[in-house]
Amino acid sequence: MLTADIPPNHSIYIQNLNERIKKEELKRSLYCLFSQFGRILDVVALKTPKLRGQAWVTFSEVTAAGHAVRQMQNFPFYDKPMRLQYAKAKSDCLAKAEGTFVPKDKKRKQEEKVERKREESQRPNTANGPSANGPSANNGVPAPSFQPSGQETMPPNNILFIQNLPHETTSMMLQLLFEQYPGFKEIRMIDAKPGIAFVEYEDDVQASIAMQPLQGFKITPQNPMVISFAKK
DNA sequence: AGCACA
């Protein structure tokens, strides 16, 4: 089994992410998407040359990470199928919580210990030449199946915007879910736009209270719903 | 492809 000889970990390692998405939006969207599996302790994404297109999501429970890796494999996210594995190392946030966190310079020393075997008198100048990566015009990738496109960062609103619903979803199904929370007013769906819905509450606070427990709720196994505040 | 915590 080539896929992963990596032992279970609280953190999952995600690759093949859309590199055009800004770091903060990416982290927000990953948080929304993965919170269905359990409590998320941290999301890490860097845009450095070596680390772009990748992210780590750390769960409070290893079992949550396991479910995430299996169920979200190849999930189309910003138009690209996610590749998921367990992370290879423990996340710093967890190590800090356990009090076993080793600051970075000490970590370096440990690595050097291993490298001492190959002690080289001098490093040949084979290091990275000037990067030949021009700003390649990211060949326009259109209309993904799941495109949060900044919605997560909307300010609170009494209307919620729901995405990634299976096309067979009815407003009655959604009502059963959303009316459990106080202040519920109505569901609005648009026949010409399957897969999305608007849910109205009396006020912003009630809307955000409903958003949290229903975030990532699955009407079918393939459709964790993605909830954000509607645009004003 | 690429396994970090700015």
Side-chain angles (χ1 to χ4, degrees), chain A residues 40-140:
Chain A
I40 292 177
L41 302 180
D42 200 15
V43 179
V44 171
L46 293 295
K47 293 276 259 185
T48 60
K50 193 158 288 183
L51 293 172
R52 61 189 171 197
Q54 301 151 79
W56 291 260
V57 175
T58 303
F59 294 92
S60 63
E61 302 294 335
V62 178
T63 51
H67 292 141
V69 167
R70 276 175 274 114
Q71 293 187 44
M72 297 305 276
Q73 201 61 258
N74 300 317
F75 182 82
F77 186 63
Y78 290 108
D79 210 27
K80 299 186 70 178
M82 293 199 257
R83 302 290 151 57
L84 306 177
Q85 298 176 323
Y86 289 116
K88 286 179 179 167
K90 175 181 292 189
S91 100
D92 282 359
C93 71
L94 218 62
K96 280 172 184 162
E98 295 173 351
T100 59
F101 178 64
V102 185
K104 50 195 167 186
D105 44 325
K106 293 203 173 181
K107 230 189 254 177
R108 284 287 161 92
K109 279 189 181 176
Q110 284 187 317
E111 287 163 15
E112 281 167 23
K113 220 185 282 177
V114 179
E115 280 192 19
R116 199 164 298 174
K117 292 177 182 177
R118 323 184 107 258
E119 197 124 1
E120 292 170 347
S121 53
Q122 61 181 40
R123 240 168 220 290
N125 53 352
T126 53
N128 323 334
S131 71
N133 312 342
S136 66
N138 300 319
N139 305 340

Side-chain angles (χ1 to χ4, degrees), chain A residues 75-228:
Chain A
F75 182 82
F77 186 63
Y78 290 108
D79 210 27
K80 299 186 70 178
M82 293 199 257
R83 302 290 151 57
L84 306 177
Q85 298 176 323
Y86 289 116
K88 286 179 179 167
K90 175 181 292 189
S91 100
D92 282 359
C93 71
L94 218 62
K96 280 172 184 162
E98 295 173 351
T100 59
F101 178 64
V102 185
K104 50 195 167 186
D105 44 325
K106 293 203 173 181
K107 230 189 254 177
R108 284 287 161 92
K109 279 189 181 176
Q110 284 187 317
E111 287 163 15
E112 281 167 23
K113 220 185 282 177
V114 179
E115 280 192 19
R116 199 164 298 174
K117 292 177 182 177
R118 323 184 107 258
E119 197 124 1
E120 292 170 347
S121 53
Q122 61 181 40
R123 240 168 220 290
N125 53 352
T126 53
N128 323 334
S131 71
N133 312 342
S136 66
N138 300 319
N139 305 340
V141 186
S145 60
F146 170 60
Q147 184 82 290
S149 64
Q151 281 283 348
E152 296 73 18
T153 55
M154 286 297 140
N157 190 321
N158 67 312
I159 300 172
L160 298 176
F161 176 51
I162 321 298
Q163 299 172 85
N164 200 40
L165 295 168
H167 286 11
E168 59 272 25
T169 306
T170 64
S171 56
M172 189 49 69
M173 293 161 68
L174 292 177
Q175 181 166 339
L176 288 169
L177 281 174
F178 285 90
E179 73 184 355
Q180 308 176 83
Y181 302 92
F184 173 82
K185 286 176 78 176
E186 68 167 355
I187 306 286
R188 287 194 294 276
M189 297 183 81
I190 302 154
D191 292 332
K193 292 186 183 296
I196 67 166
F198 295 89
V199 183
E200 184 171 346
Y201 284 84
E202 304 278 358
D203 62 46
D204 301 12
V205 175
Q206 292 171 319
S208 52
I209 288 170
M211 176 191 287
Q212 284 157 282
L214 291 175
Q215 188 65 265
F217 184 91
K218 290 176 172 178
I219 289 179
T220 73
Q222 294 77 25
N223 294 80
M225 63 174 67
V226 178
I227 310 177
S228 55

